């Protein structure tokens, strides 16, 4: 008789382990006990792990070496207690003994959230598309694209095409079964996709749904347009398969323009860089001080007896009277406010926040590249010219699938050595742990990763959320604010922009910065560099200083008050009855104030009647001079009349040009067709 597993879990007995061990598998229990540290065997979690193994043997028979992964999964279906630390510890023991297949999950902890990849059919079926032909088309399209993209990109394509596009169309226009969309349907979809509904906290503290612009709308339109274009292109090679679906695309190329969004993002990123770069030294100091404070509290906790109180960094903390932690030392304390705090977790978070800030600001690598750093990433290179050994940091291929090497500075070497010393095991080696690739949804081979931590059952790699939370905690402790007074925010990618901006401003050639950053295009590198207005001002001032050095020094003497008043009076004396005088400062009047004759006179059009009156008066004076025989006067007045008439003609021509329309000679559509088709008639 074998009791079922749910009954054994519900009515757990302390005698089951000893009974199963003595009557069923003494050799198997002894083998497991020989591989586990004695302090783990005596702990509560170790006892729970042995009870889990005994329950599985009692329910399914066999011995410890016959337990399978499926039996652990069945146990998880019956109770939530299957995810306790003791159950995970039992799974890790049997996995380390090598009795599970190579593709078995590394840990039961992520069995529900990191289940791996799913097929294109399941990706599309998440959205419940009613039209079977369109559903099959989307599956075929994703299957065709799958070899050329990673899994995360494939999942994003399914979300846009099946969710944002077709599922939205079916919900508002039921019965669609063709990609040929009427104009009103496509226009309505574009209007809906331009906004989205989000839940925001209001001023009074309540939560409400608000409509906000969807910044990813151009990207969604681009993906849908590419879907139509791909089908039209594939229809040329496989008309029987793709031809029936090749229809005009409802989205034009202009609607997919992202230039405005890119400029907005560029301006926003540059502003973040300008705000973050000056305060980076302060953030580094805060991170270092937080690590010192956390270590000081942890050292004081290790020295304090159980059940006592101690003071560290001005805080009074109380140690519990008992602990279940391995080694007999507690990790949690109670502060003066009655809050329970885990000093071990605080010190770990402070250390890796400090290490993250230091590594990112000295290398400019991405966050996924940071988490993939391993002990083997630290290599050495011997210069062929001098024989000097240079330490290098090898960055594994990530976003651009491009491997690169970075020079390790002395400051970076100190940080890397501190991380290696922390994660190194008792045998002097960095434990090899598997890591989960969130882009491909697969588990990587075990590697000696640097950003890992130890638990009771195994070693695990830190995730991106832990890094972001650690940075957020450091920023909150620093009290840094932006120009508006709001708390300053730092993202891991901001360190990459700061690094590129800093090295370029300090003289590193942009093409070298491109190689260090791992960019495929130098335009991307220059897009990361924030151009500071102060730099433009200083460069302009330097240019002016160099130009001044080439000119006589007496030209830059101090101006006297009399000279300044004379300079201002020159502009006051430029105003004339007919307009303005255009002669330069410091030059004399060449026509002895006969302004009508002067080409520097700028006549205002409103003074046209006065100019005509002057011309008529000059003509009358010429007639009088001819009657009286004043031939000298006639010659001088004739010159003035000619200059006056020339200025009148200029004003009339300017006004006529301003009022008359100009035919540009643009041909009509009918003329273009007639000429291109060889037809003579218009």
């Amino acid at each position: 008789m074998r009791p079922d597993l749910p009954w054994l879990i519900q009515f757990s007995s302390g005698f089951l382990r000893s009974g199963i061990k003595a009557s069923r598998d003494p050799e198997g229990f002894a083998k497991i006990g020989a591989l586990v540290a004695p302090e783990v065997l005596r702990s509560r979690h170790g006892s729970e792990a042995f009870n889990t193994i005994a329950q599985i043997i009692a329910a399914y028979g066999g011995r410890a070496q016959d337990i399978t992964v499926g039996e652990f999964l069945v146990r998880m279906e019956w109770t939530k207690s299957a995810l306790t630390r003791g159950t995970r510890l039992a799974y890790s023991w049997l996995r380390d003994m090598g009795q599970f297949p190579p593709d078995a999950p590394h840990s039961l902890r992520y069995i529900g959230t990191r289940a791996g990849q799913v097929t294109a059919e399941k990706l599309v079926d998440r959205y419940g598309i009613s039209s079977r032909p369109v559903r099959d088309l989307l599956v075929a399209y994703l299957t065709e694209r799958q070899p050329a993209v990673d899994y995360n990109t494939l999942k994003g394509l399914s979300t846009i095409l099946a969710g944002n596009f077709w599922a939205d169309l079916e919900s508002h226009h039921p019965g669609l079964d063709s990609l040929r969309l009427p104009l009103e349907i496509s226009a309505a979809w574009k209007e809906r996709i331009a906004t989205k509904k989000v839940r925001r906290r209001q001023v009074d503290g309540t939560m409400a749904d608000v409509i906000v612009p969807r910044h990813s709308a151009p990207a969604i339109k681009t993906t849908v347009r590419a879907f139509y274009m791909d089908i039209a292109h594939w229809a040329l090679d496989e008309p029987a398969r793709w031809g029936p679906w090749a229809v005009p695309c409802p989205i034009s190329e202009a609607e997919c323009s992202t230039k405005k969004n890119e400029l907005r993002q560029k301006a926003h990123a540059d502003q973040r860089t300008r705000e973050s770069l000056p305060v980076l030294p302060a953030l580094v100091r805060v991170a270092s001080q937080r690590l010192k404070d956390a270590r000081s509290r942890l050292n004081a906790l290790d020295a304090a007896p159980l059940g006592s109180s101690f003071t560290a960094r001005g805080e009074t903390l109380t140690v519990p009277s008992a602990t279940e932690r391995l080694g007999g030392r507690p990790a949690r304390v109670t502060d003066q406010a009655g809050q329970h705090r885990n000093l071990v977790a605080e010190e770990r978070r402070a250390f890796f926040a400090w290490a993250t800030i230091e590594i990112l600001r000295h290398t400019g690598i991405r966050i996924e590249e940071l988490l993939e750093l391993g002990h083997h990433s630290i290599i050495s290179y011997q210069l062929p010219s001098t024989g000097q050994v240079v330490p290098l940091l090898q960055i594994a291929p990530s976003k651009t699938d491009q491997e690169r090497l970075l020079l390790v500075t002395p400051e970076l070497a100190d940080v890397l050595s501190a991380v290696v010393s922390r994660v190194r095991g008792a045998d002097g080696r960095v434990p090899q742990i598997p890591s989960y690739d969130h882009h491909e949804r697969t588990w990587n081979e075990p590697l000696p990763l640097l950003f890992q931590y130890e638990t009771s059952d195994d070693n695990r790699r830190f995730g991106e959320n832990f890094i972001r939370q650690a940075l957020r905690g450091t920023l909150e402790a620093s009290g840094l604010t932006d120009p508006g007074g709001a708390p300053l925010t730092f993202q891991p990618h901001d360190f990459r922009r700061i690094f590129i901006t800093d090295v370029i401003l300090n003289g590193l050639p942009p093409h070298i910065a491109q190689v260090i950053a791992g960019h495929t295009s130098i335009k991307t590198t220059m897009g990361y560099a924030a151009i500071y207005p102060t730099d433009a001002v200083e460069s302009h001032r330097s240019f002016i200083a160099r130009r001044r050095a080439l000119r006589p020094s007496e030209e830059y003497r101090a101006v006297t008050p009399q000279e300044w008043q004379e300079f201002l009076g020159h502009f006051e004396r430029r105003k004339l009855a007919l307009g303005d005088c255009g002669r330069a400062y410091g030059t004399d009047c060449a026509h002895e104030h006969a302004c009508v004759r002067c080409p520097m006179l700028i006549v205002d059009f409103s003074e046209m009647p006065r100019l005509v009156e002057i011309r008529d008066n000059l003509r009358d004076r010429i007639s009088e001079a001819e009657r009286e025989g004043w031939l000298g006067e006639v010659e001088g007045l004739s010159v003035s009349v000619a200059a006056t008439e020339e200025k009148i003609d200029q004003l009339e021509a300017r006004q006529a040009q301003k009022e008359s329309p100009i035919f540009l000679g643009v041909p009509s559509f009918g003329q273009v067709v007639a000429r291109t088709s060889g037809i003579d008639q218009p």
Side-chain angles (χ1 to χ4, degrees), residues 262-283:
E262 291 174 355
L263 293 176
R264 187 185 299 111
Q265 292 174 0
K266 167 66 175 172
H268 179 68
D270 288 351
Q271 182 62 26
R272 287 175 59 92
T273 304
R274 297 187 187 105
E275 295 174 357
S276 304
L277 185 55
V279 301
L280 183 58
L283 182 64

Side-chain angles (χ1 to χ4, degrees), residues 228-240:
Y228 276 84
M229 295 295 102
D230 288 341
I231 291 179
H233 179 71
W234 297 344
L236 299 177
D237 299 330
E238 299 181 73

Side-chain angles (χ1 to χ4, degrees), residues 24-260:
R24 294 287 185 89
D25 192 14
E27 295 81 4
F29 278 81
K31 184 178 180 180
I32 296 174
L35 297 176
V36 181
E39 60 271 14
V40 177
L41 293 176
R42 294 191 297 267
S43 66
R44 180 174 66 88
H45 303 302
S47 177
E48 182 183 348
F50 274 116
N51 287 336
T52 300
I53 296 175
Q55 289 174 358
I56 294 177
I57 293 176
Y60 298 105
R63 294 178 295 176
Q65 64 181 13
D66 301 322
I67 297 177
T68 64
V69 178
E71 292 169 349
F72 275 96
L73 299 181
V74 171
R75 191 176 192 277
M76 292 177 58
E77 294 181 358
W78 287 106
T79 176
K80 295 181 180 180
S81 63
L83 292 178
T84 60
R85 186 174 297 179
T87 305
R88 297 197 305 267
L89 194 59
Y91 182 89
S92 65
W93 289 348
L94 300 181
R95 182 205 62 203
D96 295 340
M97 291 172 61
Q99 71 180 60
F100 293 157
D103 59 345
H106 176 72
S107 173
L108 294 179
R109 181 181 181 88
Y110 307 108
I111 196 67
T113 58
R114 300 179 180 178
Q117 301 180 2
V118 298
T119 61
E121 291 85 352
K122 293 184 178 180
L123 289 176
V124 174
D125 290 341
R126 293 180 300 167
Y127 301 97
I129 295 178
S130 302
S131 176
R132 187 71 182 183
V134 175
R135 179 262 182 195
D136 294 340
L137 172 67
L138 294 176
V139 171
Y141 178 78
L142 294 178
T143 305
E144 193 77 14
R145 292 288 309 274
Q146 187 171 5
V149 298
D150 57 32
Y151 179 79
N152 203 35
T153 302
L154 186 71
K155 185 179 178 182
L157 288 175
S158 67
T159 300
I160 293 177
L161 297 177
N164 298 117
F165 180 55
W166 198 258
D168 180 83
L169 287 175
E170 286 190 341
S171 64
H172 293 84
H173 310 281
L176 286 177
D177 57 357
S178 173
L179 296 183
R180 188 184 295 272
L181 302 179
L183 181 61
E184 61 275 8
I185 293 181
S186 62
W189 176 78
K190 295 173 189 177
E191 184 177 355
R192 290 193 301 271
I193 209 65
T195 58
K196 62 179 179 179
K197 182 184 295 185
V198 297
R199 194 164 182 81
R200 295 277 178 85
R201 186 177 298 277
Q202 304 301 306
V203 179
D204 56 358
T206 60
M207 302 296 294
D209 294 334
V210 296
I211 303 298
V212 298
R214 189 193 300 267
H215 297 297
S216 60
I220 295 176
K221 295 178 184 178
T222 301
T223 302
V224 175
R225 177 176 171 81
F227 170 62
Y228 276 84
M229 295 295 102
D230 288 341
I231 291 179
H233 179 71
W234 297 344
L236 299 177
D237 299 330
E238 299 181 73
R241 182 183 182 188
W242 305 103
W245 297 99
V247 297
C249 180
I251 303 173
S252 64
E253 184 178 359
E255 293 175 310
C256 301
S257 176
T258 59
K259 183 177 181 180
K260 186 178 295 185

